[in-house]
Amino acid sequence: MRSTLKFAVPLAVAALALGACGTKGGDTPAAGGTGSGGAAACQDFKIGMFGALTGPNANLGIYIQNGVNLALDDYNKKHADCKVSLENYDSQGDPTQAPALAKKAIDDKKVVGIVGPAFSGESKAADPAFNEAGLVTITPSATNPKLADNGWKTFFRALGNDNTQGPAAAKYIKDTVKSTKTFVIDDASEYGKGLADIVRSTLGSQVVGNDTIQVKQTDFSASVTKVTSSGADALFFGGYSPEAAPMIKQLRDAGWKGTFVVADGVKSADYPQNAGAAAEGTIITCPCVPADVDPTFLNAYKAKFNEDPNTYSGEGYDSATILLDGIAAGKDRKSMVDFVKAYDKKGVTKQLKFDAKGESADIKVYAYKVEGGKIVSAGEIK
């Protein structure tokens, strides 16, 4: 959300250990180096983390940030004479804040790449500016398929989009949940509606009702009435955990017994915490791999943060590692685009490689389930 890009000594970085500074005569110059035979100047480069670090969806951003920090720790241990630092751009998941934050990142010439934006709405708002400035972005979590259709040369996505997650969710609803009457609700967001529409079109006549709610809504009585009166045996919700938790609580309070199916926007520890017993049995789809796929990464993450990796922690680590490998290879902001475009190495989540549109070339979608108040893997959806 894994095997030869190990945390303790990443092979990619070791192989490129020319560093971002301090190269000696005869070595390839590091970023900003002269290549004249003396020591290359350290450029004090930064990578950015762009996403919600505060606000109702902060957990997802923090999970990513943890992965990024882990990758930075690993890199800086190997390049102690010229460390790379992290610049945080806290969007609170709000697309209206994204353009100003993008400008701030662009204006800081030390920033050579961005991990993020984390959400689809803020990506749509910020990525045009990043593209114009030539600043690479690798999103570990924004899944709206249309983001790759804009011709942005700086856009890369380190996971599958909703054109893979949506059909996988629909397949799981039909084949594993065995639903014959499915209700679909979206939250009108760039992410939620886009994903829900794919599930709607894939399930076709099996959909017995539709509804739209709003972000930050807390009273779902109208939706509850629609769901319960429809006879639906399953409900798919395209949206985020702050709305999913009260929604399922109100549905259970009304006596609805069907299966609640959600996607990666709800895969956060605060969902079962806030929904309590009502969350039990919830199915969560995600183009993110389980934490234990790479034991070395899992153990290193637990040692640093005293908890297991969570949603998109691994993807955050991988996205940051690509940028750090570029810095180690002597790339700056201008040359980073071509470096990322040609990248092809094993990460902790998958083979890290991109197609011509910047999409991940290695895509997997997993199902998760809430059991005993925790989100546990239910296996890959194939």
Side-chain angles (χ1 to χ4, degrees):
M1 105 107 265
R2 283 203 206 210
S3 58
T4 58
L5 184 64
K6 294 303 182 183
F7 174 75
V9 185
L11 298 179
V13 174
L16 294 167
L18 301 174
C21 69
T23 59
K24 299 299 181 182
D27 290 340
T28 300
T34 65
S36 60
C42 179
Q43 296 296 294
D44 297 322
F45 280 147
K46 306 175 186 177
I47 61 174
M49 159 58 200
F50 193 118
L53 299 174
T54 59
N57 291 306
N59 272 1
L60 287 172
I62 291 169
Y63 299 152
I64 295 167
Q65 184 192 49
N66 286 349
V68 172
N69 277 323
L70 202 56
L72 275 167
D73 283 356
D74 182 49
Y75 179 89
N76 287 333
K77 286 176 185 175
K78 297 297 177 183
H79 303 85
D81 56 343
C82 190
K83 295 182 178 181
V84 175
S85 59
L86 179 64
E87 193 72 32
N88 290 309
Y89 301 97
D90 179 12
S91 65
Q92 298 187 321
D94 181 357
T96 65
Q97 297 191 37
L101 288 173
K103 184 179 186 305
K104 183 178 179 182
I106 291 165
D107 288 346
D108 186 346
K109 301 306 180 185
K110 295 291 186 180
V111 176
V112 297
I114 298 289
V115 176
F119 297 90
S120 295
E122 64 189 21
S123 296
K124 181 180 179 181
D127 281 351
F130 287 132
N131 183 66
E132 184 177 353
L135 181 56
V136 165
T137 66
I138 306 176
T139 180
S141 54
T143 54
N144 189 293
K146 294 179 181 178
L147 293 173
D149 295 334
N150 294 286
W152 296 326
K153 298 183 185 304
T154 56
F155 173 83
F156 298 91
R157 181 168 13 220
L159 73 167
N161 65 36
D162 290 335
N163 280 336
T164 54
Q165 182 177 197
K171 176 180 174 62
Y172 198 91
I173 290 169
K174 187 174 183 179
D175 296 346
T176 304
V177 176
K178 304 293 186 183
S179 169
T180 58
K181 296 180 178 181
T182 308
F183 202 98
V184 181
I185 298 176
D186 68 76
D187 68 351
S189 71
E190 192 77 17
Y191 157 76
K193 185 179 187 305
L195 180 58
D197 283 347
I198 294 170
V199 172
R200 289 179 176 115
S201 64
T202 306
L203 289 178
S205 61
Q206 182 174 320
V207 177
V208 296
N210 293 284
D211 199 13
T212 297
I213 59 97
Q214 300 299 316
V215 173
K216 299 183 180 179
Q217 184 173 327
T218 57
D219 180 359
F220 298 99
S221 55
S223 296
V224 167
T225 299
K226 293 176 184 178
V227 174
T228 55
S229 63
S230 73
D233 53 22
L235 165 63
F236 178 82
F237 171 58
Y240 295 98
S241 59
E243 290 73 42
M247 180 186 295
I248 190 58
K249 286 181 71 175
Q250 292 170 39
L251 279 161
R252 296 306 187 208
D253 287 345
W256 186 67
K257 304 294 185 184
T259 302
F260 192 41
V261 184
V262 295
D264 52 315
V266 184
K267 191 176 176 293
S268 172
D270 63 352
Y271 169 66
Q273 290 169 1
N274 293 334
E280 287 295 303
T282 298
I283 300 298
I284 305 173
T285 64
C286 186
C288 53
V289 301
D292 59 358
V293 168
D294 189 308
T296 303
F297 173 75
L298 170 66
N299 292 334
Y301 191 100
K302 289 176 72 171
K304 182 173 179 64
F305 300 108
N306 198 32
E307 62 182 15
D308 287 344
N310 215 307
T311 311
Y312 298 132
S313 297
E315 285 77 6
Y317 177 90
D318 279 346
S319 299
T321 296
I322 294 170
L323 297 174
L324 293 168
D325 280 358
I327 293 172
K331 307 304 178 184
D332 56 14
R333 180 184 290 190
K334 183 177 180 181
S335 56
M336 188 68 76
V337 177
D338 287 337
F339 178 84
V340 176
K341 189 182 299 183
Y343 201 87
D344 186 4
K345 295 178 183 176
K346 186 71 175 177
V348 299
T349 64
K350 61 180 72 69
Q351 187 71 20
L352 304 176
K353 182 179 180 180
F354 304 99
D355 67 17
K357 294 172 64 176
E359 295 280 21
S360 174
D362 185 4
I363 297 171
K364 296 177 174 66
V365 180
Y366 284 80
Y368 297 82
K369 189 174 185 178
V370 178
E371 289 183 348
K374 295 184 178 180
I375 299 173
V376 298
S377 176
E380 184 179 355
I381 305 174
K382 297 183 178 179

